[in-house]
Amino acid sequence: MSDHMKRLAMPRTWAIPRKIHVWAAKQTPGAHSVEDSMPAGMVLRDMLKVCDTAREAKKIIANRDMIVNGRKVKDAKAPVGIMDSIAIPKMNLYYRMLLTGKGKLTVVAIPEEEAKWVLCRVENKTKVAGGKLQLNLSGGRNIILDANQYKTGDSVKLDLEKNEIVGSYPLAENATVLVINGRHAGKVEDVESISAGSASAPSIITFKNKSETVKENVFVIGTGKSEITLPEASE
């Protein structure tokens, strides 16, 4: 598999110039898809603009100065995706990767305290030895619990230092969600109702503005209001 791609073939979510250069780096396999993330080196150079060249970005990463979700990045092609917390402590810079209202990946400046936690969506649940339950979360994380407290589609607030859940936001009426896929990608909406799905049809989420999408396209970011700092409306 190639580790580069032509810029003209880049995902539409990448908000970087397509015709300045021929090639762009491609992420290594990880917790995010190609469409939902960008390589760490490109985030530093093209989004945060803390350096001018790929070589400088690689040097920053080699010095372990870039931290994503509480872990020091070791590979310039490591994927940095939606909801990831980005920190460069030496420069006092803290960001979260989100989507603009037009569905483009963007970085949003956040307070240092907000960079210490992330929201993760419950993707799946698995029973493990000892009668415990494992939550399979977005971003590639797993958490072992004693009780079945959360439903698939709910979001949990994860403390990055302690790797433990410190809050939760259910996918239910009045939930505030970020649409991460589909024609409404990048929109922040409030849930009005949720229809039950079936083996052949997905659950449908209806928003208070009467637009709709499928359950898999939404990421809960709060109840009644957003718990994360959002991009400016003009973006």
Side-chain angles (χ1 to χ4, degrees):
M1 182 180 292
S2 173
D3 58 359
H4 281 76
M5 70 177 83
K6 287 191 174 182
R7 287 205 170 202
L8 291 176
M10 291 187 307
R12 294 179 181 273
T13 53
W14 293 19
I16 61 175
R18 293 177 179 270
K19 297 183 179 180
I20 293 180
H21 302 288
V22 175
W23 299 99
K26 186 177 181 180
Q27 312 95 306
T28 53
H32 299 283
S33 69
V34 174
E35 292 77 14
D36 293 341
S37 64
M38 290 181 65
M42 291 182 70
V43 172
L44 289 174
R45 184 189 65 187
D46 299 295
M47 301 187 78
L48 300 182
K49 301 187 185 301
V50 298
C51 58
D52 297 321
T53 65
R55 179 175 293 182
E56 292 173 353
K58 289 179 180 178
K59 187 173 182 180
I60 292 173
I61 290 172
N63 291 335
R64 304 293 190 266
D65 291 332
M66 183 182 187
I67 299 173
V68 175
N69 293 341
R71 298 174 181 172
K72 295 180 179 179
V73 178
K74 301 178 183 179
D75 181 4
K77 293 182 180 179
V80 181
I82 296 173
M83 293 295 170
D84 283 350
S85 165
I86 306 165
I88 308 177
K90 287 186 178 180
M91 302 178 72
N92 197 32
L93 297 175
Y94 303 92
Y95 295 89
R96 191 177 307 283
M97 181 78 85
L98 290 172
L99 292 173
T100 68
K102 297 180 180 179
K104 303 288 187 181
L105 289 170
T106 187
V107 285
V108 179
I110 59 176
E112 181 179 356
E113 285 301 310
E114 189 175 328
K116 294 179 180 179
W117 54 267
V118 292
L119 292 182
C120 298
R121 186 172 67 178
V122 179
E123 303 289 356
N124 198 2
K125 298 185 288 185
T126 308
K127 288 186 178 181
V128 295
K132 295 181 182 293
L133 189 74
Q134 176 178 281
L135 291 186
N136 308 124
L137 305 176
S138 59
R141 291 176 181 266
N142 299 314
I143 297 290
I144 303 295
L145 300 175
D146 293 324
N148 187 7
Q149 301 171 252
Y150 310 104
K151 296 180 179 180
T152 301
D154 291 352
S155 289
V156 295
K157 183 177 180 180
L158 193 67
D159 185 301
L160 294 172
E161 294 180 356
K162 300 177 181 178
N163 194 39
E164 64 180 30
I165 295 173
V166 294
S168 64
Y169 307 96
L171 178 57
E173 293 181 14
N174 298 319
T176 300
V177 303
L178 172 67
V179 183
I180 58 175
N181 289 303
R183 60 187 291 187
H184 302 295
K187 304 295 184 183
V188 175
E189 305 285 0
D190 292 317
V191 174
E192 181 176 85
S193 64
I194 304 172
S195 70
S198 66
S200 60
S203 295
I204 300 297
I205 309 294
T206 302
F207 304 124
K208 292 187 177 179
N209 64 4
K210 304 307 178 184
S211 61
E212 297 179 337
T213 191
V214 296
K215 177 181 177 181
E216 289 72 19
N217 286 351
V218 303
F219 196 118
V220 181
I221 57 174
T223 301
K225 65 182 183 67
S226 173
E227 296 296 324
I228 59 174
T229 303
L230 295 172
E232 295 293 334
S234 60
E235 296 182 358

